[in-house]
Amino acid sequence: MFSAEDKASVLIEALPYIQKFYGKTIVVKYGGNAMVSDTLKEKVMEDIALLKYVGVRPVIIHGGGPEITGFLKKVGKQTSFVSGLRVTDEETVEIAEMVLDGKVNSEIVNLLNHRGVKAVGISGKDAGLIRAKKKLATVYDGDDAKKVDIGYVGEVEKVDTGLLDDLIDHDYIPVIAPIGVDEEGASYNINADYVAAEIAGALHAEKLLLLTDIEGVYKDYHDKDTFISTLHQAEAREYIKTGIIEGGMIPKIEACLKALDAGAVKAHIIDGRLAHSILLEVLTPQGIGTQVVR
């Protein structure tokens, strides 16, 4: 049990960070186990609502990989990945759009609205928010890299922040499903990490927070003493090339690099399995996870 004085001390400790981030945009990529566990869902929504009430301008981009995989299993479709990206045929992208936009997005909006903040669910297809193009997966063979076509998997070609600016200025929290559309009107499923990165850059966000199922980046995942709290851009690119960073962590690090290149101030990979991880990162002096910096 904490005394009243202890509780007051915690609030006072957060004051400099509330002042620092007041009026600033923080982009949260919501995914991983924090989307699966009902308990963690509640904690994430509490964190975002609190940030909104103390003057931060949150923007949420959500994933939905487990939900998509689960629905694909129900209809008898197998799932495969290349360099952490889902191989996506025409039927799969239709299912992904249905799950992300129709189920996952609406649930997040409802959870936030229930906490008294105003949230609006949108897709990257709405008002031309995300112009997409086909993304080819990069596969490394030693020092050589080759491109592989994995179907209706997109990357962000352009972000039009007009709709987001309007929503944020009118005190709404945008909740964005990572679906984009190309010039011909074809839909593309886009890795939510990449969407979050491009939007964080376009909005010149103070922070991009990627919620994951790992504490952060390790030089050797099997050796907890090799944890990296701060990772510079050049190091990150080298670690991807040499295989220190691999699999599903590649899109996350690439997302951090994209966000910084596009105009975000900092990018963080944090453990979404930890209750109130967003508040621990934003409103405490210690912070958690791995920050990627210029």
Side-chain angles (χ1 to χ4, degrees):
M1 298 294 293
F2 292 97
S3 68
E5 290 80 2
D6 290 334
K7 294 176 181 179
S9 296
V10 170
L11 294 173
I12 294 300
E13 184 181 70
L15 180 58
Y17 303 97
I18 294 172
Q19 293 172 321
K20 179 178 180 179
F21 298 122
Y22 183 86
K24 301 294 179 64
T25 298
I26 292 180
V27 174
V28 178
K29 186 272 178 168
Y30 176 43
N33 196 56
M35 291 187 68
V36 178
S37 163
D38 288 338
T39 300
L40 290 175
K41 283 181 188 179
E42 298 292 330
K43 303 302 182 185
V44 170
M45 298 307 147
E46 289 170 354
D47 286 6
I48 293 170
L50 191 149
L51 289 180
K52 179 64 176 173
Y53 279 122
V54 299
V56 177
R57 294 150 57 104
V59 176
I60 303 170
I61 295 88
H62 63 83
E67 290 86 351
I68 294 171
T69 300
F71 201 95
L72 289 171
K73 286 181 179 178
K74 289 180 180 178
V75 299
K77 289 187 68 69
Q78 297 294 320
T79 299
S80 60
F81 293 86
V82 175
S83 295
L85 301 174
R86 186 189 304 271
V87 178
T88 306
D89 61 15
E90 188 171 1
E91 183 182 15
T92 300
V93 76
E94 291 176 356
I95 291 172
E97 185 171 1
M98 177 184 67
V99 173
L100 291 171
D101 203 7
K103 179 179 183 295
V104 178
N105 190 281
S106 61
E107 180 185 23
I108 296 169
V109 169
N110 183 57
L111 288 170
L112 287 171
N113 288 341
H114 182 65
R115 281 158 181 78
V117 294
K118 299 188 296 183
V120 174
I122 59 175
S123 164
K125 296 170 69 173
D126 293 331
L129 173 58
I130 299 174
R131 174 65 61 83
K133 62 180 181 179
K134 180 183 284 289
K135 178 178 178 61
L136 300 176
T138 302
V139 177
Y140 289 94
D141 182 9
D143 290 336
D144 298 326
K146 63 178 181 178
K147 300 292 185 179
V148 179
D149 189 338
I150 52 176
Y152 289 89
V153 174
E155 61 181 318
V156 178
E157 186 173 43
K158 180 182 177 182
V159 174
D160 183 342
T161 63
L163 175 60
L164 295 183
D165 292 335
D166 286 344
L167 290 172
I168 293 169
D169 288 345
H170 285 83
D171 209 31
Y172 290 97
I173 299 176
V175 180
I176 305 165
I179 300 291
V181 63
D182 68 9
E183 291 182 345
E184 284 72 43
S187 295
Y188 284 87
N189 186 22
I190 309 176
N191 182 283
D193 295 326
Y194 294 147
V195 172
E198 296 287 358
I199 288 177
L203 292 173
H204 300 285
E206 188 71 17
K207 288 180 180 291
L208 166 64
L209 304 179
L210 301 179
L211 271 64
T212 68
D213 288 340
I214 190 173
E215 296 90 347
V217 179
Y218 295 86
K219 282 189 176 180
D220 178 0
Y221 180 69
H222 301 289
D223 182 358
K224 299 301 182 181
D225 291 335
T226 65
F227 183 78
I228 303 171
S229 58
T230 299
L231 185 62
H232 292 86
Q233 287 175 300
E235 293 174 316
R237 293 188 174 98
E238 180 64 22
Y239 289 170
I240 292 174
K241 183 178 179 181
T242 58
I244 293 174
I245 295 171
E246 59 183 352
M249 185 57 74
I250 292 174
K252 300 184 188 307
I253 294 298
E254 288 182 340
C256 292
L257 297 174
K258 283 178 180 288
L260 295 177
D261 288 340
V265 178
K266 279 189 177 182
H268 305 256
I269 296 172
I270 65 175
D271 190 351
R273 301 168 302 176
L274 180 63
H276 298 302
S277 58
I278 295 174
L279 295 185
L280 290 171
E281 177 57 51
V282 178
L283 299 183
T284 70
Q286 297 85 5
I288 59 173
T290 298
Q291 65 173 351
V292 183
V293 300
R294 295 186 178 89

